């Protein structure tokens, strides 16, 4: 899934300059400083000290912490981070005598995902859901209990293989390193690329399996069950599960839902369009992809054009990727095509870097922008995932704090690949598998690229 873009870097300079001027004024002329300036100063200082930094001031309303990244530069994380106490050491003033060595502790089993529930909070959320003014025809259904992940693969050819758990599996909190500047992007080593390819292929296979379940009368919870099982038999942890508390193993966004739809017991209906978003964590690395699916045989001509336009603008942006080009220019490629076709691009969510960390730099905005998000180079891995709307692109978040819907109830479409920049172009690590993955009408009728899109570089998607 995409994430909200971070605040522009220049705002950090502006706020800090304001704090400096206020402090100097209060020190040099204390008698002339009005008490009315004190609350403003306190607010600014609290913003700088908060974990979200400037995000608390300028970021859009909290749509989903599932995809929210920390600000690219935060005083709280880079200047005031506490140092861990060192173990042992020589005697000094106030030092304690060294404790006798302890017996070796027994290895702890890997944590199992467990989402904590607060009874009162759940009751309040249910009340809000019942009175919320929904913008389209989709309503939240009943969710099944959260599915568990065993420590090892339980069936299939990989039975007995240990499943790697991400850092947030137990408590929902990712333990990522401090965020770097937005233009500082990790270059994957050849060994990491091999692991990324494996994760990408597994994600594609899980998405294909989930897509085959999309039929009239099937619930999105049943799709989630298939995605969960298919991830486990491949030795993968389903990345969305318990990421900042997300309760399911994939996202299913139907009709006017832009992204982060939570699977439930609502049966799919003839004429629905649904995006299934799959991410898996395999041997320490994530693979992330999504695709549209049409339910039944009836499809409104406008919605058919919407899906086709979304696919075509997405492929044009994929073809744009190559070393030396600016990440910010991807958005212009997408928006130019979308506007020409009469649709709009969502600005609240964006693509992202990916690897051992679910969401990291660079941020990929799907509209024209001048953000300093870096330059493409071989070894970069990231996603492009435009969310395109048939009418307006403004969004509203449901009381479940995850589901993002269009304000006007218009339908949306989205596609996503995990990409690897190569020496001469780009390849999709989550690309479709010839002879296995289905070919959809938008691939057959595209005026950008007909058939499966497998990249622009000389490397095949699954070569090592």
């Amino acid at each position: 899934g995409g994430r909200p873009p971070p605040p522009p870097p220049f705002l950090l300079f502006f706020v800090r300059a304001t704090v400096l001027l206020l402090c100097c004024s209060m020190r040099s002329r204390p008698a002339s400083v009005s008490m009315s300036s004190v609350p403003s100063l306190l607010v600014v200082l609290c913003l700088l000290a908060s974990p979200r930094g400037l995000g608390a001031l300028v970021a859009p309303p909290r749509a989903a912490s599932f995809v929210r990244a920390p600000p690219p530069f935060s005083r709280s994380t880079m200047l005031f981070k506490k140092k861990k106490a060192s173990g042992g050491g020589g005697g000094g003033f106030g030092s304690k005598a060294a404790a006798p060595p302890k017996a070796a502790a027994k290895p702890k089993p890997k944590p199992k995902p467990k989402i904590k529930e607060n009874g009162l909070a759940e009751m309040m959320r249910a009340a809000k859901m019942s009175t919320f003014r929904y913008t389209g025809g989709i309503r939240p259904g009943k969710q099944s209990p959260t599915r568990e992940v065993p420590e090892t693969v339980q069936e299939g050819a990989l039975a007995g293989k240990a499943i790697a758990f991400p850092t947030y599996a137990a408590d929902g909190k990712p333990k990522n390193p401090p965020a770097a500047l937005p233009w500082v992007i990790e270059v994957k080593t050849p060994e990491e690329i091999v692991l990324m390819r494996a994760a990408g292929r597994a994600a594609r296979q899980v998405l294909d399996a989930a897509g085959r379940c999309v039929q009239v009368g099937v619930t999105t919870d049943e799709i989630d069950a298939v995605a969960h099982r298919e991830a486990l038999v491949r030795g993968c942890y389903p990345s969305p599960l318990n990421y900042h508390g997300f309760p399911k193993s994939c996202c299913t966004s139907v009709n006017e839902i832009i992204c982060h739809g939570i699977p439930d017991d609502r049966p799919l209906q003839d004429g629905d369009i649904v995006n299934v978003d799959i991410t898996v964590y395999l041997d320490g690395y994530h693979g992330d992809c999504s695709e549209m699916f049409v339910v039944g045989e009836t499809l409104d001509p406008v919605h058919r054009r919407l899906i086709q336009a979304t696919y075509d603008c997405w492929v044009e942006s994929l073809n744009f990727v190559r070393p030396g080009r600016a990440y910010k220019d991807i958005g212009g490629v997408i928006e130019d095509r979308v506007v020409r076709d009469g649709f709009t691009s969502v600005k609240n969510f964006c693509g992202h870097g990916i690897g051992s960390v679910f969401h990291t730099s660079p941020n990929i905005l799907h509209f024209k922008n001048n953000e300093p998000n870096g330059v493409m180079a071989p070894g970069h891995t990231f996603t492009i995932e435009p969310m395109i709307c048939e009418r307006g692109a403004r969004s509203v978040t449901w009381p479940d704090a995850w589901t993002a819907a269009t304000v006007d109830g218009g339908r949306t479409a989205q596609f996503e690949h995990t990409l690897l920049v190569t020496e001469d172009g780009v390849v999709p690590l989550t690309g479709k598998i010839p002879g296995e993955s289905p070919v959809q009408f938008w691939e057959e009728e595209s005026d950008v690229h007909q058939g499966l899109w497998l990249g622009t570089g000389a490397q095949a998607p699954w070569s090592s």
Side-chain angles (χ1 to χ4, degrees):
R3 65 178 180 188
F10 74 87
L11 286 178
L12 184 63
F13 171 81
F14 174 78
V15 173
R16 287 179 178 168
T18 302
V19 172
L20 180 62
L21 289 174
L22 287 172
C23 290
C24 292
S25 175
M26 293 181 71
R27 183 175 181 180
S28 60
R29 297 168 56 194
S32 63
V33 177
S34 170
M35 289 302 294
S36 63
S37 65
V38 174
S40 299
L41 178 59
L42 291 175
V43 169
V44 173
L45 290 175
C46 290
L47 287 171
L48 290 176
S50 70
R52 289 180 57 198
L54 287 177
L57 179 64
V58 298
R62 181 184 181 276
S65 54
F66 180 158
V67 294
R68 188 173 301 280
F73 187 89
S74 172
R75 178 174 295 274
S76 62
T77 58
M78 299 192 73
L79 296 183
F80 299 145
K81 189 175 182 181
K82 295 181 180 180
K83 297 181 178 179
K84 294 182 179 179
S86 58
F93 181 76
S95 62
K96 297 181 179 179
K102 296 181 180 180
K106 295 182 180 179
K108 295 182 179 180
K110 290 184 178 180
K112 293 183 179 181
K114 185 177 181 181
I115 299 177
K116 296 181 179 179
E117 295 187 359
N118 182 304
L120 179 60
E122 290 300 315
M123 291 176 60
M124 294 179 63
R125 179 172 297 179
K128 289 181 179 179
M129 295 287 276
S130 64
T131 58
F132 183 74
R133 295 182 62 181
Y134 295 94
T135 59
I138 303 300
R139 298 292 184 274
K142 183 179 179 181
Q143 296 176 25
S144 63
T146 299
R147 296 180 170 87
E148 294 188 353
V149 178
E151 295 181 16
T152 61
V153 180
Q154 301 296 301
E155 58 180 306
L158 298 179
K161 179 185 183 295
I163 296 176
F165 282 60
T167 60
Y168 54 82
D171 60 7
K173 300 176 182 179
K175 284 76 176 175
N176 301 333
L181 295 170
W183 53 84
V184 178
I185 302 165
E186 178 187 32
V187 176
K188 302 298 188 297
T189 66
E191 294 76 17
E192 289 178 309
I193 291 174
V194 170
L195 295 171
M196 288 286 293
R197 288 184 184 277
R201 183 182 180 91
R204 166 51 56 186
Q205 292 173 328
V206 173
L207 179 56
D208 288 348
R212 285 190 286 270
C213 298
V214 176
Q215 300 178 36
V216 175
V218 173
T219 67
T220 51
D221 185 68
E222 291 175 296
I223 296 173
D224 181 76
V226 170
H228 186 84
R229 177 183 177 277
E230 293 293 330
L232 297 186
V233 298
R234 289 170 174 80
C236 303
Y237 179 96
S239 301
L241 185 61
N242 207 26
Y243 186 76
H244 289 287
F246 190 77
K248 293 297 179 180
S249 298
C250 71
C251 298
T252 52
S253 302
V254 183
N255 296 344
E256 74 270 15
I257 305 306
I258 297 172
C259 59
H260 308 153
I262 301 175
D264 57 30
D265 67 350
R266 176 191 179 273
L268 294 173
Q269 301 174 8
D270 188 34
D272 284 346
I273 61 174
V274 55
N275 176 270
V276 180
D277 194 336
I278 298 291
T279 312
V280 300
Y281 184 74
L282 177 62
D283 297 331
Y285 288 84
H286 297 273
D288 189 359
C289 55
S290 80
E291 187 172 359
M292 295 301 299
F293 298 93
V294 176
V295 182
E297 302 297 328
T298 305
L299 182 60
D300 185 283
V302 174
H303 303 151
R304 186 183 183 95
R305 284 201 311 110
L306 171 67
I307 296 175
Q308 189 68 64
T310 303
Y311 180 79
D312 288 342
C313 81
W314 178 58
V315 173
E316 281 195 12
S317 70
L318 301 179
N319 286 335
F320 175 80
V321 176
R322 65 187 58 198
R325 290 184 171 174
Y327 282 107
K328 67 180 180 64
D329 293 334
I330 293 174
V333 174
I334 293 171
E335 188 169 28
D336 284 343
R337 174 69 189 233
V338 166
V339 171
R340 190 191 80 184
D341 290 339
F343 300 109
T344 58
S345 181
V346 171
K347 297 183 178 181
N348 300 68
F349 302 94
C350 62
H352 52 89
I354 188 171
S356 60
V357 176
F358 197 167
H359 299 97
T360 184
S361 297
N363 294 308
I364 309 299
L365 307 183
H366 305 120
F367 56 93
K368 291 181 179 179
N369 68 93
N370 289 309
E371 292 299 311
N373 289 333
V375 176
M376 303 172 199
H380 288 182
T381 54
F382 62 98
T383 71
I384 299 179
E385 45 185 303
M387 289 146 270
I388 308 303
C389 305
E390 67 170 314
R391 295 197 290 270
R394 292 177 56 212
S395 67
V396 61
T397 304
W398 284 7
D400 62 17
W402 293 106
T403 308
T406 56
V407 168
D408 58 15
R411 293 194 177 188
T412 73
Q414 178 189 20
F415 293 89
E416 177 184 13
H417 268 325
T418 294
L419 303 165
L420 166 68
V421 182
T422 63
E423 296 290 342
D424 59 351
V426 61
V427 293
L429 300 181
T430 51
K432 287 194 170 182
I433 305 171
E436 296 184 24
S437 301
V439 180
Q440 306 284 11
F441 77 77
W442 46 84
E443 293 161 323
E444 296 176 330
E445 301 176 11
S446 174
D447 62 11
V448 181
H449 179 91
Q450 292 187 350
L452 302 183
W453 186 88
L454 299 178
T456 61
Q459 300 182 46
W462 315 125
S463 65
S464 58

